[in-house]
């Protein structure tokens, strides 16, 4: 679990550093993380879209890579997520790890990048040239926040 908590903390620190350069009124109120499943395992999508978290995208596993998801973590949900990961090392009265549906199949957490949102079958375009981008946000995901919140972290 230390690897998951470390990745979450590293993502939070990177966002915090970048927020300093943004005027307070324009700062986002959360950030996106990239969650990778363990080899041959599936992420529990319902658990990634619960307790304040919003599941933004999922890419199914291939022979080359495991299943992965991008999840929006509002600032006020970050401590809850970290606690759920820490609590995984504690058993329930039934003898099962706490928060197993959320944590058990996670292999890695890191800050989400644009590449992680890429869902097309062809590879993500090279970044060595200027390119026009069009982003589509699911209105249910962005409801209650402006779209800038999703990426200005």
């Amino acid at each position: 679990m230390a690897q998951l908590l470390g990745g979450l903390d590293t993502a939070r620190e990177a966002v915090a550093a970048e927020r300093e350069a943004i005027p307070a009124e324009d700062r986002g109120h959360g950030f996106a993380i990239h969650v990778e499943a363990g080899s041959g395992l599936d992420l529990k999508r319902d658990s990634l879209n619960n307790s304040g978290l919003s599941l933004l995208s999922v890419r199914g596993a291939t022979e080359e890579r495991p299943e992965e998801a991008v999840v929006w973590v509002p600032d006020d949900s970050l401590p809850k997520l970290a606690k759920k990961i820490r609590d995984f090392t504690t058993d329930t009265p039934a003898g099962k790890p706490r928060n197993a549906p959320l944590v058990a199949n996670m292999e890695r957490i890191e800050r989400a990048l644009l590449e992680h949102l890429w869902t097309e079958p062809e590879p993500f375009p090279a970044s060595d040239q200027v390119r026009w981008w069009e982003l589509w946000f699911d209105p249910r995901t962005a409801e209650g926040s402006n779209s800038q919140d999703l990426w200005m972290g």
Side-chain angles (χ1 to χ4, degrees), residues 13-14 18 61 81 83 93 97 104-105 109 120 130 141 150-152:
E13 289 172 358
E18 290 179 4
L81 176 58
K83 183 178 182 335
N105 292 354
I109 295 176
E120 300 300 319
V130 176
T141 302
L150 296 174
W151 298 109
M152 294 308 289

Side-chain angles (χ1 to χ4, degrees), residues 8-101:
L8 186 61
D9 197 47
T10 299
R12 181 197 54 78
E13 289 172 358
V15 168
E18 290 179 4
R19 281 184 177 169
E20 294 301 316
I22 300 170
E25 65 273 8
D26 294 332
R27 291 180 190 161
H29 302 287
F31 60 98
I33 58 171
H34 172 248
V35 180
E36 188 176 287
S39 181
L41 301 174
D42 293 327
L43 296 168
K44 302 304 181 210
R45 297 175 186 189
D46 289 346
S47 296
L48 292 172
N49 201 33
N50 200 344
S51 299
L53 304 177
S54 295
L55 183 62
L56 299 177
S57 70
V58 176
R59 286 179 28 179
T62 67
E63 290 183 18
E64 296 82 35
R65 62 171 174 69
E67 183 174 67
E68 48 191 27
V70 176
V71 179
W72 177 250
V73 182
D75 290 335
D76 61 353
S77 295
L78 181 61
K80 290 183 271 187
L81 176 58
K83 183 178 182 335
K84 286 183 179 209
I85 294 170
R86 277 193 305 277
D87 287 351
F88 180 72
T89 60
T90 306
D91 286 345
T92 65
K96 296 183 179 184
R98 293 192 186 281
N99 306 310

Side-chain angles (χ1 to χ4, degrees), residues 98-126:
R98 293 192 186 281
N99 306 310
L102 173 66
V103 182
N105 292 354
M106 289 183 182
E107 180 71 24
R108 182 169 54 147
I109 295 176
E110 62 187 347
R111 182 174 181 200
L113 303 173
L114 184 58
E115 292 90 335
H116 296 131
L117 284 171
W118 190 254
T119 58
E120 300 300 319
E122 61 270 358
F124 186 77

